[in-house]
Amino acid sequence: MDGWESRRRREEGHDWCLVQLGVPYWTSAAPLSASTPASKLQLVGIELDTAHFTGNHSPQVSIEMATTVENPISVIEGLPNGVQRLLSGGRQGTGHTPTEVEQAQKAIDGLEFTEILPRTPLQPGHEQTRYHYFPLDEPMSLQGSTSDGDWAKAPTWVKLNYFPDGGVARMRFWATEVKEEEKEQEEPAAKKQKVTDTVSLYMPITTGPICTVVSHTTTTNSKEELPSIVAAKENLLEISSDVNGGKGVACSNKHYGEPWRLIQTTMGEGMWDGWETARHSHRPAVIQSCPKTKLMDTPLNDWAILKLGQTTSGVGIQKIILDTKHFLGNYPESILLEGCCHESSIEGDEESFWKSSSSSSKVKWFPLVSRTRMSPNAEHMFAKDQIQNAASPVTHVRLSTYPDGGCSRVRVYV
């Protein structure tokens, strides 16, 4: 998608971005100079375009504007990697940690924002619904100062708020011109900062008593240390795999992928090579966490049901691996993995049967992995002593993602 899309919100709050306006003047024919008649601009409307964001647009947005009381560079320097972004632009897939988000919030706390568009719903980016135009009740002056270095009179910043997350392709401000003599303002020089290629992902869960977490992008572990590689060397049988008879039988949403992709033996080649759902359009506008569990306080989830190649018996399940490879911003906040034992034949459509299995008396689901936080682009390995009901016979597993998101692979070993 060609726009700004935030990763799926997994922490409290909502997403926002800060856009610095260009010079507050524009001429119809020539660049600005001290002797060129400039135009005083009056903002009359805002256009938001959600083109191509059909399953991941932001369901609600608001827009604020603020004036810098001093040189804008001072605000940029307060933002995480602010000068680096000014020099070389942002980097896709490098979502900030909660600490960095807090730092960014502190950097703009001194700005006095005025809301020019209250929280407003947006439609998905289909051709018939992508365009959203919001006329202002009263035109807003964008007049700036003519004094060198005086930034106090011109709106400098636009803050676009997503509730709680999502994507927008374009944001356009429309203005009318009122002729006026003005002087050109000199742009301050940005301080140079060395650009590095080192990007560390925020990992909400790491190796501990719950599971072992190994990132695909780590620089301290070799590929051989991935749990899936270790399991293969231990000659464990991956009974969820399609080559061993596994099958994706049903799911709640297949906007970006189908459940059969979860049971491939190969490593995921991209997000397209996993199971990913659309964002819930009715997700909370502001994320809140449960005080007790510290997990997102919402019942919203999507699910996929997988049939194992054989019934677990004897020694039971030895390992479970949940892999979010390539899902840097679209991984689930948390997951729940359940099992059931249903060896009876199914009359009628198999997919319909499993879609109604939550309310069916013929199927009894029980937990294998209780609801647990996930990290991006990583394998999460649950050993036998970390799996609930590991010795129980299991024919099918149900992966639930909270509140939505994507997973690359589900591996069950005996």
Side-chain angles (χ1 to χ4, degrees):
M1 266 62 75
D2 183 17
W4 174 53
E5 179 185 1
S6 69
R7 60 186 179 186
R8 300 184 191 226
R9 185 84 184 181
R10 302 315 185 205
E11 307 294 333
E12 289 187 308
H14 65 88
D15 290 328
W16 56 268
C17 73
L18 193 66
V19 176
Q20 183 183 5
L21 295 177
V23 292
Y25 295 95
W26 193 259
T27 58
S28 57
L32 294 174
S33 69
S35 59
T36 302
S39 298
K40 174 182 174 183
L41 300 181
Q42 287 189 324
L43 181 65
V44 296
I46 301 168
E47 179 186 330
L48 296 175
D49 183 358
T50 58
H52 305 295
F53 288 92
T54 57
N56 47 2
H57 72 287
S58 181
Q60 298 179 72
V61 299
S62 71
I63 297 177
E64 303 168 87
M65 293 187 73
T67 295
T68 306
V69 296
E70 53 188 19
N71 193 311
I73 290 295
S74 63
V75 176
I76 295 173
E77 289 177 331
L79 299 172
N81 305 318
V83 177
Q84 176 180 330
R85 284 174 169 268
L86 184 66
L87 295 174
S88 58
R91 297 216 22 213
Q92 185 175 356
T94 57
H96 289 295
T97 66
T99 301
E100 291 173 319
V101 172
E102 183 178 354
Q103 178 187 343
Q105 186 61 55
K106 288 181 179 179
I108 66 172
D109 278 346
L111 300 177
E112 295 185 5
F113 282 98
T114 299
E115 187 177 68
I116 60 173
L117 180 68
R119 189 185 298 183
T120 302
L122 297 183
Q123 297 299 313
H126 302 292
E127 193 61 32
Q128 300 87 347
T129 58
R130 56 182 278 196
Y131 293 109
H132 307 76
Y133 181 75
F134 307 101
L136 299 188
D137 293 336
E138 295 183 5
M140 179 179 181
S141 175
L142 299 180
Q143 181 179 9
S145 169
T146 60
S147 302
D148 292 342
D150 182 359
W151 304 81
K153 296 182 180 179
T156 312
W157 305 103
V158 173
K159 184 167 177 270
L160 174 62
N161 300 300
Y162 285 175
F163 296 98
D165 53 29
V168 169
R170 295 292 185 270
M171 176 174 65
R172 299 182 176 95
F173 280 32
W174 296 100
T176 56
E177 298 178 325
V178 178
K179 293 296 182 179
E180 184 174 270
E181 291 285 338
E182 296 292 350
K183 293 183 180 179
E184 179 182 12
Q185 298 183 31
E186 294 183 1
E187 293 291 335
K191 295 181 180 180
K192 293 184 178 181
Q193 178 172 315
K194 184 178 180 180
V195 178
T196 69
D197 292 328
T198 302
V199 176
S200 58
L201 291 174
Y202 167 56
M203 305 292 284
I205 184 172
T206 55
T207 297
I210 297 176
C211 63
T212 298
V213 182
V214 179
S215 172
H216 287 282
T217 56
T218 183
T219 57
T220 57
N221 292 308
S222 65
K223 184 177 180 180
E224 284 67 33
E225 291 181 288
L226 286 170
S228 58
I229 301 297
V230 175
K233 291 181 176 180
E234 293 174 343
N235 293 320
L236 294 177
L237 179 63
E238 188 179 342
I239 61 171
S240 54
S241 165
D242 54 356
V243 300
N244 291 321
K247 181 181 178 182
V249 294
C251 67
S252 60
N253 184 291
K254 55 179 72 174
H255 193 90
Y256 294 115
E258 299 192 40
W260 65 265
R261 294 189 178 277
L262 292 169
I263 55 177
Q264 299 174 93
T265 56
T266 57
M267 290 288 183
E269 298 181 15
M271 287 192 295
W272 58 268
D273 194 29
W275 173 63
E276 181 185 359
T277 70
R279 305 189 194 214
H280 281 288
S281 58
H282 51 292
R283 59 195 183 276
V286 177
I287 303 300
Q288 295 182 335
S289 61
C290 173
K292 183 178 180 180
T293 65
K294 306 302 181 183
L295 297 173
M296 189 181 296
D297 191 12
T298 177
L300 291 176
N301 70 85
D302 282 309
W303 52 264
I305 296 177
L306 310 172
K307 181 181 180 181
L308 303 180
Q310 65 183 55
T311 304
T312 64
S313 58
V315 296
I317 299 175
Q318 300 299 300
K319 286 184 180 181
I320 292 174
I321 296 176
L322 303 176
D323 189 359
T324 58
K325 184 175 176 64
H326 299 297
F327 289 94
L328 305 180
N330 287 342
Y331 63 97
E333 182 261 357
S334 55
I335 61 89
L336 167 67
L337 189 70
E338 300 166 287
C340 76
C341 185
H342 185 83
E343 297 180 300
S344 303
S345 59
I346 296 174
E347 296 181 3
D349 181 64
E350 182 181 25
E351 182 177 5
S352 298
F353 173 85
W354 286 109
K355 280 189 173 183
S356 62
S357 63
S358 293
S359 58
S360 172
S361 60
K362 298 180 180 179
V363 179
K364 296 186 181 299
W365 293 101
F366 50 83
L368 297 174
V369 175
S370 57
R371 186 174 168 185
T372 302
R373 279 301 301 259
M374 288 283 102
S375 281
N377 197 40
E379 288 191 353
H380 307 70
M381 191 278 290
F382 300 84
K384 186 174 183 178
D385 60 354
Q386 296 168 322
I387 301 170
Q388 302 175 59
N389 303 299
S392 299
V394 178
T395 59
H396 296 75
V397 295
R398 179 170 64 183
L399 175 70
S400 297
T401 59
Y402 290 82
D404 47 38
C407 191
S408 180
R409 297 290 185 268
V410 173
R411 306 184 192 274
V412 180
Y413 298 91
V414 294

